Every structure is written in structure tokens, then in C-alpha cells.
Amino acid sequence: MFINWHGQSCFKLVGDKTTVITDPFDNSIGLRAPRLAGDIVTISHDHGDHNNVEGVKGLNQTEPFIIKGPGEYEYKNVFVYGIASFHDNERGAKRGTNIIYRIEIDGITITHLGDLGHLLENEQLEKIEGTDILLIPVGGDYTIDGKQATKIISELEPRIVIPMHYRLPGLKVKIDGLDTFCKEIGVCPKEELPKFKITKKDLPQEDLQVVLLQP
């Protein structure tokens, strides 16, 4: 499987037979909206920097399967579990709800936390237990920050962590850069990869691996 990051919370997960797009964004945030195509699109919440479904084309002359809420889904041998959470630390009073997605593809479990705005409750942690790769926001303000992200990582114990939703050149959203998170986690590599290739047999068995991707 290949994992590409396009900025904010938008990833392209290219599996053996199925491609998943997460949280596609529009041009309003200052970043150029990517041209994407996929079989499945997951939307964590209905904000313009996460819900640009119109910007994603389908593959093989079919429209993409859109997932926008909690529940269990299966499409083209990919299992997706949507888990309710909040976009803030006030149970949604400020920014509404957020959906966490557990995605099982090519024998690998990937959890995308969306714009999570709070520490996870025990019930939520239980539903994403066994996560191999964690896609986690670290920019603060609109989401959890680097310190909160590090706490969630220690609780969940994924094998690989890929940070997202942090400050990038041109981004109009005022959030922290990557440095804050890297100081907290202490194991960030110096190199950013254009894309990340991983198979189930290549997952690290002991030490946590942090992967930084170029948008």
C-alpha cells in the first residue's frame, strides 16, 4: 500500500485493489485543492477544508462511495468503521461533531482521527484498539495539539504515526507547525517522504515509527 498526504487531513491510501481518499479540501484554505480519484471517500465533518467531495472522481467509470457518518461500511474488500467524536473539547458546543474512521485495507488497520478536538474516551479507544497506522492532527487550536496527540499515541500504541493538520506554507488556517509535536514525541525523523510504502509484513514490531510526509 502507498500513502500520500495532500495537506490538512487529506490522504490518498492506495491499496492493492482499492483507493481511499480522506477529507478532501477546497481552495478556500490557501492550499491548492488536489485532483483526486478514488473508490471510497471518507468525510470527518462538514467543513470546506474536509468535505470537498466534488473534487474527487471515481475510478473504473463508477462514482466513489461516500462515507460521512458513524457506522460500519464494507466496499470493495475495504472495511470502514465510523466512530462519533467531537471537533472541540466542549462536546461539540463550539465546532460540532467529528467522525473518527478505522479503515481496514490490505490487512492493515489505519485510523484517521479527522479534526479530533479532545482526548479520547475509553469507549473510543477500545473501538480503535489494534491500530497499525495512526493519522493524527497535531496543530492545535481547531484540533488537539502536539501534547494531546502524544498522550493519545501513548494510550493507543500504534506501530506507525503520521502527523497531519499542522501549519504549512500558504495555509490560511492559524495552527501550530510540526515542531511542537516533534518536541513532545521525541522521535520525528529529519526526512520528509513524498509517499510512504508499507505492507503488513513490514510493520514495525517494537519501537514506534513516526513518518513525516511531504504534502
Side-chain angles (χ1 to χ4, degrees), residues 10 21-25 36 41-43 48-53 56:
C10 182
I21 306 295
T22 70
D23 280 11
F25 56 83
L36 298 168
V41 181
T42 63
I43 304 297
D49 56 338
H50 295 265
N51 69 352
N52 186 26
V53 174
V56 183

Side-chain angles (χ1 to χ4, degrees), residues 20-40:
V20 180
I21 306 295
T22 70
D23 280 11
F25 56 83
D26 59 24
N27 291 318
S28 64
I29 58 173
L31 302 179
R32 180 181 296 179
R35 296 180 179 180
L36 298 168
D39 300 292
I40 299 171

